[in-house]
Amino acid sequence: MNLIKIIFFIIISFCINLNIYAGPTFESNFDITNENKTATGVEFNPSGTKMYVVGIKHDGNNASIAQYSLSEPFNIGSTVTLDENLVIYSQEQRPQGIKFNSDGTKVLVLGTHGDGVDVWDLTIPYDVTTLTLIDTKFTSIGDNPRGFDFNNDGTKMFVLQMNELQEFSLSTPFDPRTKGNPKTISIPNVTNTAHQGFAFNNDGKKMYVTRSKVGDASNSLNIITEYDLTRAFDISSASINDSYNSSPTETHEHLSGVTFNKTGSKLYYIDFNTDLVRQFSLPCSYGVISCIDPTENDDDKASAEVQSEVSKKLIQHTTYPVLNRMEWLRRNKDSSNLTNQNIKFQFSNEILASLSNLITPVALTSNNTSSTAEPQIGNWSYWSEGTVSVGKVGDTSASSAKNINSSAITIGADRRNDKNRMFGFAFRFGSDDIDVGNLGSALDMNALSLTVYETRPKGKNMFMDSLIGISAINTNLLNNSGSISTDGEREGKQIFASIKFRETFAKEKLNITPNIKLDLGFTSLSDYTETGADGLNLKFNRQDIGTIITSIGSVIDNTINIDNGILKTNIQLEYNADISPSSKQEFEYASNGTSYILENINSSTHNYRGSFGFDLITDNGFLLMTSYERNQSKGNGHSNNIYFGGSYISKRNETYAFSLDGSETFNTKLDYKRDLNGIVIKVSSNYSLMSEIPDYGATIEVSNKF
């Protein structure tokens, strides 16, 4: 008895682990006997509120297009009302299929009378009652066509013949009159069968063909064959996956036209033996035989990869401004004032305000206007730096191209403990906008980071720069496959550290500073579930991303005396080796739990970094620092970065204040205030760092006390 229990447990566990595929589930029928008999084609408008059926009119003598309104989108079991049963017999006596162009302004009907395609213009999109029959545009195709479909942009038309499938290139989208010579592939045939219906899924990676066997009920064979395509809409790359038999043995169906709802969660076909439209639910998008493997979709892979890539890039984008600051401190270590902003920090967010009050002493908000020749020990200096980055990773054999645009502002403060040792902290607010592929998929990643840093001497001219920080990440994801799109929101947390050793070799005003650097990080991205696509929605499990990047490089800087100031130029060269451990993303269909794993997301990469910049410091307190940076991957990826900062350190009665509201849009405000002999002039500007809709403005106030 115990043995039986064990065997039973093993069998149950095995079945669970197999994640057995459920297949289509019947939902409802809709009887079209009163409008059509021997119906052959069925289609919906994109919203699912209209259904169209072509066939022979119920009197047996007239072909027609029947248009129905549905009370519930894509549900033929809801209230269905006939709008029009339009007779097209004069143009097409034996229609076989119906399609629309991308905006619904054209309706196309395939027929075997003349073996071609009829096209009509519609005054109102997707409303066949507005077509004018005398305006038909006919194109002959030949050889008994039975079904047809188009790629997403209408530049290719595919026509199913009895025993083969033809591909036509169209110079004008959705215009068969502009077709070229066909490409043909054979469709495996079965004796006494006839191919009848034909359709693609939304991304062209799956193809469906219906065929019926003529015979009695006991020999019924009405199947939908699912083909996998290795390349979208490339029928030469099609291979049979398997077939679904739609006919129970007690029912003699004759399978005809086939279509799906917008997301592929429902299947529809026509049985012209019983004059029924039949509706099935699918366990996942277009899952007649199997679910679509998201790991085989280039855009899906690119979306998962870019989240890992940007998480790692975030560490570098956060550390670079801080490291730039420490380089700037080295170049200007003898300056009397290391502050490059005359500002006060004001935080509306309670957490940020507490951190500011805890870390920043009162000395930080005081104007350091001393003109003494010696650097001041113990006083706080504060700084800011903006960053703009534009990058691209081209198409690879593994994923689609990615365009990456980043912008950020970093504000910080540091304090000199002695002439060569410095401690500080920095806040960064950054946004990354990434476009994936060419169908509109995109990611919008926003990050808030806090970094604590230190530079200290390790010898006469050797220094160690070190930092540690944390980041909070929010990502909005849009995945567009052409006909449908999904949305998702993902949170993330990150901890990172960097250590850099550098030694300066000086000769007069020329300095050469070789360095080695190690970046470490750990990012945890939360699980999330997509919305907007029914059976296509994916649930992404938590993803952990480790970061290890080693670097070796050198900085060359030179000081040039100019009128009323100095100009310091710098050149940086660096080689980076990303030796991060590989990451993986596990996800599954939210509808049925079929799971997939995308492996080796973090593959090792190598890139080169070069930059050129300068510091301009004038005697009257004006400072400008900027640099251009190029990061070039060993492959085809690259990014262009611009860093910039500027200030005016006044010795008069002037103050600047930077404020930050901790709302979702991170509203910032910069105030300038000056007292002119009792008359106070105040200029304020505001900007939302992370708002989708630009929000900025400025005000001027003038006041006086009597």
Side-chain angles (χ1 to χ4, degrees):
M1 188 70 179
N2 290 334
L3 180 61
I4 295 175
K5 290 181 178 179
I6 293 173
I7 295 173
F8 178 78
F9 177 78
I10 292 174
I11 294 174
I12 295 296
S13 301
F14 181 71
C15 293
I16 293 174
N17 292 331
L18 277 179
N19 212 354
I20 296 176
Y21 188 74
T25 302
F26 173 75
E27 289 191 335
S28 59
N29 290 324
F30 178 71
D31 193 339
I32 55 175
T33 304
N34 292 331
E35 292 79 46
N36 283 283
K37 72 176 189 178
T38 319
T40 51
V42 60
E43 188 61 273
F44 293 84
N45 68 341
S47 63
T49 57
K50 299 285 185 185
M51 180 176 68
Y52 314 87
V53 177
V54 293
I56 300 176
K57 200 170 181 289
H58 67 92
D59 58 16
N61 295 317
N62 291 308
S64 68
I65 304 173
Q67 176 178 301
Y68 303 87
S69 292
L70 284 66
S71 61
E72 297 179 13
F74 295 109
N75 184 10
I76 64 174
S78 65
T79 302
V80 182
T81 307
L82 178 67
D83 297 334
E84 181 76 26
N85 196 18
L86 183 69
V87 176
I88 59 171
Y89 188 81
S90 298
Q91 290 73 32
E92 179 53 63
Q93 299 175 15
R94 294 188 296 274
Q96 300 294 322
I98 180 172
K99 297 292 178 182
F100 293 85
N101 67 338
S102 55
D103 62 4
T105 57
K106 296 182 183 295
V107 60
L108 303 96
V109 175
L110 179 76
T112 56
H113 179 72
D115 295 331
V117 181
D118 296 274
V119 182
W120 292 277
D121 294 322
L122 302 180
T123 305
I124 300 175
Y126 299 102
D127 188 352
V128 299
T129 66
T130 65
L131 68 82
T132 304
L133 288 172
I134 62 174
D135 292 336
T136 181
K137 306 174 185 66
F138 179 78
T139 303
S140 178
I141 297 177
D143 199 22
N144 200 12
R146 295 292 176 152
F148 75 139
D149 204 353
F150 296 84
N151 65 345
N152 291 329
D153 63 7
T155 58
K156 291 184 178 182
M157 180 176 68
F158 305 86
V159 179
L160 176 68
Q161 310 289 351
M162 289 292 289
N163 297 307
E164 63 183 21
L165 183 61
Q166 294 180 321
E167 174 189 323
F168 297 88
S169 294
L170 308 181
S171 57
T172 301
F174 297 100
D175 189 348
R177 296 173 300 173
T178 65
K179 65 180 177 66
N181 294 324
K183 299 178 183 178
T184 302
I185 65 168
S186 297
I187 298 292
N189 194 27
V190 178
T191 305
N192 296 324
T193 67
H195 295 105
Q196 188 66 50
F198 170 66
F200 285 102
N201 76 327
N202 60 329
D203 67 358
K205 289 293 190 70
K206 284 187 178 291
M207 182 176 74
Y208 306 86
V209 176
T210 66
R211 71 177 190 264
S212 300
K213 184 174 182 178
V214 181
D216 58 31
S218 62
N219 291 322
S220 292
L221 179 61
N222 291 279
I223 65 175
I224 304 173
T225 301
E226 181 179 286
Y227 295 77
D228 294 325
L229 285 71
T230 57
R231 296 177 296 276
F233 297 104
D234 183 355
I235 59 177
S236 66
S237 68
S239 61
I240 293 179
N241 184 348
D242 205 343
S243 298
Y244 168 71
N245 190 346
S246 67
S247 298
T249 56
E250 67 272 12
T251 303
H252 185 191
E253 290 187 331
H254 199 145
L255 206 61
S256 184
V258 62
T259 193
F260 300 84
N261 67 340
K262 185 178 180 181
T263 61
S265 62
K266 295 185 184 295
L267 162 71
Y268 310 84
Y269 66 79
I270 286 182
D271 172 16
F272 68 64
N273 224 33
T274 58
D275 296 324
L276 293 174
V277 180
R278 307 196 72 192
Q279 175 179 311
F280 294 77
S281 65
L282 301 177
C284 58
S285 179
Y286 298 95
V288 178
I289 300 300
S290 62
C291 292
I292 299 172
D293 187 351
T295 64
E296 299 298 323
N297 183 282
D298 289 348
D299 284 6
D300 286 338
K301 288 190 289 186
S303 179
E305 289 174 352
V306 79
Q307 293 182 69
S308 176
E309 292 173 4
V310 174
S311 297
K312 293 194 296 180
K313 290 294 183 184
L314 175 61
I315 295 175
Q316 293 182 300
H317 289 171
T318 304
T319 59
Y320 279 152
V322 175
L323 294 172
N324 290 342
R325 168 64 177 178
M326 287 188 277
E327 286 288 346
W328 188 89
L329 291 172
R330 177 187 62 79
R331 294 194 298 269
N332 298 275
K333 64 181 184 296
D334 296 324
S335 174
S336 62
N337 192 339
L338 299 178
T339 294
N340 63 26
Q341 296 286 339
N342 185 16
I343 61 176
K344 299 178 180 180
F345 297 104
Q346 301 171 351
F347 298 102
S348 300
N349 182 282
E350 294 182 359
I351 297 176
L352 296 180
S354 300
L355 287 172
S356 177
N357 293 332
L358 176 65
I359 301 176
T360 310
V362 178
L364 179 59
T365 60
S366 65
N367 291 334
N368 184 0
T369 60
S370 173
S371 61
T372 61
E374 290 295 323
Q376 297 195 7
I377 308 299
N379 285 344
W380 285 87
S381 305
Y382 32 99
W383 58 277
S384 66
E385 183 170 285
T387 308
V388 175
S389 177
V390 178
K392 178 180 178 67
V393 179
D395 287 309
T396 68
S397 60
S399 65
S400 300
K402 300 170 281 281
N403 294 295
I404 305 174
N405 299 302
S406 306
S407 60
I409 182 173
T410 304
I411 56 175
D414 40 48
R415 174 175 181 169
R416 176 177 288 179
N417 297 329
D418 53 45
K419 188 175 181 179
N420 293 315
R421 187 175 178 182
M422 182 81 69
F423 165 84
F425 67 95
F427 294 100
R428 179 185 183 273
F429 314 93
S431 177
D432 294 273
D433 297 318
I434 304 102
D435 296 324
V436 179
N438 55 12
L439 296 178
S441 298
L443 293 86
D444 182 13
M445 177 181 285
N446 299 315
L448 171 64
S449 305
L450 170 64
T451 305
V452 179
Y453 60 91
E454 181 185 48
T455 181
R456 62 169 63 191
K458 289 296 181 180
K460 183 178 180 181
N461 293 309
M462 181 179 290
F463 292 84
M464 181 183 73
D465 301 332
S466 57
L467 60 89
I468 187 170
I470 56 174
S471 297
I473 305 170
N474 177 267
T475 305
N476 293 304
L477 304 102
L478 172 65
N479 193 351
N480 197 329
S481 61
S483 59
I484 60 173
S485 62
T486 61
D487 295 289
E489 184 174 355
R490 193 175 206 180
E491 304 292 333
K493 300 177 181 178
Q494 185 179 80
I495 184 170
F496 57 90
S498 181
I499 186 169
K500 181 178 182 181
F501 291 93
R502 51 186 171 90
E503 183 174 8
T504 299
F505 300 90
K507 184 177 181 180
E508 297 181 351
K509 296 182 179 181
L510 179 67
N511 297 300
I512 301 176
T513 307
N515 59 80
I516 58 173
K517 179 165 65 77
L518 176 65
D519 295 322
L520 301 172
F522 177 80
T523 306
S524 178
L525 302 179
S526 66
D527 60 341
Y528 75 100
T529 302
E530 297 176 329
T531 60
D534 298 333
L536 190 61
N537 292 328
L538 294 173
K539 178 184 178 183
F540 289 76
N541 295 333
R542 168 179 160 175
Q543 182 183 3
D544 294 331
I545 305 164
T547 301
I548 305 175
I549 301 174
T550 61
S551 306
I552 184 170
S554 182
V555 180
I556 303 173
D557 62 85
N558 187 37
T559 301
I560 304 173
N561 293 320
I562 60 175
D563 293 340
N564 301 315
I566 58 173
L567 177 68
K568 296 187 177 184
T569 61
N570 62 89
I571 298 174
Q572 297 190 48
L573 299 173
E574 188 176 271
Y575 166 76
N576 298 313
D578 185 349
I579 55 174
S580 306
S582 63
S583 177
K584 65 179 181 181
Q585 176 64 73
E586 299 179 358
F587 43 91
E588 61 191 38
Y589 280 101
S591 58
N592 71 347
T594 304
S595 58
Y596 304 88
I597 300 177
L598 186 61
E599 302 274 5
N600 301 319
I601 297 177
N602 282 12
S603 57
S604 299
T605 58
H606 304 270
N607 64 80
Y608 306 91
R609 173 177 174 247
S611 72
F612 171 79
F614 64 86
D615 308 328
L616 176 62
I617 306 172
T618 66
D619 296 337
N620 59 5
F622 177 79
L623 168 67
L624 175 66
M625 54 181 184
T626 185
S627 63
Y628 164 78
E629 176 185 281
R630 171 81 174 196
N631 282 281
Q632 181 66 55
S633 296
K634 191 174 181 180
N636 59 356
H638 69 270
S639 65
N640 298 297
N641 307 317
I642 298 176
Y643 301 92
F644 54 88
S647 68
Y648 176 69
I649 309 297
S650 176
K651 299 179 181 179
R652 301 180 180 180
N653 192 12
E654 295 175 315
T655 59
Y656 302 80
F658 178 85
S659 62
L660 174 66
D661 184 353
S663 62
E664 293 182 356
T665 57
F666 289 103
N667 297 314
T668 63
K669 187 177 181 182
L670 181 63
D671 295 326
Y672 166 81
K673 183 178 179 181
R674 182 171 182 178
D675 190 340
L676 296 175
N677 298 322
I679 299 176
V680 179
I681 301 174
K682 184 179 180 182
V683 180
S684 300
S685 64
N686 63 276
Y687 183 73
S688 296
L689 288 175
M690 299 181 182
S691 175
E692 295 183 1
I693 302 175
D695 181 16
Y696 47 84
T699 60
I700 300 176
E701 298 179 19
V702 180
S703 61
N704 188 21
K705 293 183 180 180
F706 297 94

